[in-house]
Every structure is written in C-alpha cells, then in structure tokens.
Amino acid sequence: MENQMIFAWAIIFCLAVAPVHGQYYSRTVKAGPRVEKITRLHFFFHDIRSGENATAIPIASPNTTQDTPTYGTLYAMDDPLTMGSELTSTLIGNSQGLYLDLSRERTQFTAIFYADFAFTTGRFNGSSFSLFSRFSAEADPSTIREMAIVGGRGAFRMATGFALLRPIWSNTIGDAIVEFNVTLYHY
C-alpha cells in the first residue's frame, strides 16, 4: 500500500511539473525606433482575358443560369507590369493573385482583388507589395480609383499604403490597361 501511495504521488508530481517545462520560451522586448520610409511607384498593369496568351483566366464560376454570366466568377491572374502603357514596353514585374466578379450589372465591373505585385528588375528586384481591396468600374472611365496596400516583403516589408488606379484602355471582353500610382509606407 505504501509503494502504491509513493507511485501515485510520483505520477501527480510528474503531471504537475510537465506543463511548466513543456511551454515554449518567449520574451517580448521593446523595439527601438524605426524610420518609416515612403516609396512612390508608377507603372502599368495589363489584364488580358482574351486570346491564347491570356493573363487572367476564370478558375471557378457559379453553376447557375443567369443573365450576368460573369457574376460570381473567380479569376486567377498573372499580369505583366510595365514602365509604359504599351505591353511591349519594359517589363518590371508581374501581379499574381485572384479577383472575384461581384457585379450583377452587365454594364459595370466590380470585383474584390487580392494580388501580390512583385518586381523582377531594378532597385526593387525581389520585393513585392500586397493589395487587397474592392475595385469598381465607374460610369466615367477617367475616374481614379483607390485600393488598399496591406503588406509587403523585401524592400517593402510591413508596407501599408494605397494605390491610385486610372484605366487607360479596356474592351467589352474584359481586357484592360490600368495606370498605377502607388504610395507605400514601410520600414
């Protein structure tokens, strides 16, 4: 009986000590002052949904018959970013991500975008920023739209900011060229 009591106390002791030694070690330290940087970028985004070399393709759509065939369609994109508005101008990176068509109106394109804008040349080679925001095509094509920057990596680590978009050209198929003026706040 005494051996069983010692064994029971030993088990209780081991179970009581295990959680204390099983936790990971962490320590929070106060970060030193950081200098926030502001970077402004200007480039052109080419979204091509038609032809053999499409850069945006539908990957899922609702299984319904509806008047608006693109409503609810999810697109994957790998769009080129260039220095000029022509697709043949200097390639500086690409935008990869997803967008979901949200508009039930046939005449108006509205979508939610998630995209990573990665730079493959120049000063910001290997860096990218992430955009996650709603995009709405206004009746007036010259209207400037604003989208939110929610993160970044490389030179744009911990980026926040905004992108001002101005459509340069679009067609009824969904192809578009968009001018981007981006302001990034990062460390």
Side-chain angles (χ1 to χ4, degrees):
M1 177 79 168
E2 190 175 316
N3 285 341
Q4 289 177 337
M5 196 63 148
I6 293 172
F7 180 72
W9 280 108
I11 294 294
I12 291 171
F13 177 76
C14 288
L15 291 174
V17 172
V20 174
H21 292 291
Q23 292 182 4
Y24 64 90
Y25 172 78
S26 69
R27 183 177 71 169
T28 303
V29 295
K30 185 175 180 177
R34 296 184 294 185
V35 177
E36 185 175 62
K37 301 175 206 164
I38 299 175
T39 300
R40 291 188 173 84
L41 304 168
H42 178 258
F43 55 85
F44 293 85
F45 168 91
H46 301 266
D47 192 47
I48 305 163
R49 292 180 9 186
S50 65
E52 289 184 21
N53 294 322
T55 61
I57 60 168
I59 58 173
S61 58
N63 191 13
T64 61
T65 304
Q66 54 189 346
D67 291 337
T68 312
T70 61
Y71 173 66
T73 302
L74 180 65
Y75 293 86
M77 67 179 185
D78 186 359
D79 293 332
L81 306 176
T82 62
M83 292 289 288
S85 61
E86 297 297 321
L87 188 55
T88 56
S89 67
T90 305
L91 183 69
I92 58 168
N94 63 333
S95 173
Q96 295 177 324
L98 301 169
Y99 60 92
L100 178 64
D101 189 339
L102 301 172
S103 181
R104 297 176 97 173
E105 290 289 326
R106 282 193 131 170
T107 59
Q108 183 176 348
F109 176 73
T110 303
I112 189 82
F113 273 82
Y114 168 73
D116 185 72
F117 288 73
F119 296 92
T120 56
T121 62
R123 178 176 163 204
F124 300 117
N125 184 15
S127 298
S128 71
F129 66 87
S130 296
L131 181 145
F132 185 68
S133 200
R134 180 180 179 269
F135 177 87
S136 181
E138 306 294 330
D140 179 9
S142 65
T143 302
I144 294 176
R145 286 99 173 156
E146 182 175 332
M147 297 180 82
I149 307 299
V150 296
R153 64 180 176 83
F156 306 132
R157 184 174 291 130
M158 295 180 65
T160 60
F162 58 93
L164 299 177
L165 287 65
R166 186 173 65 93
I168 300 297
W169 175 84
S170 65
N171 63 19
T172 57
I173 299 168
D175 299 343
I177 300 171
V178 181
E179 180 181 18
F180 271 71
N181 284 294
V182 178
T183 301
L184 297 171
Y185 301 92
H186 57 98
Y187 298 98

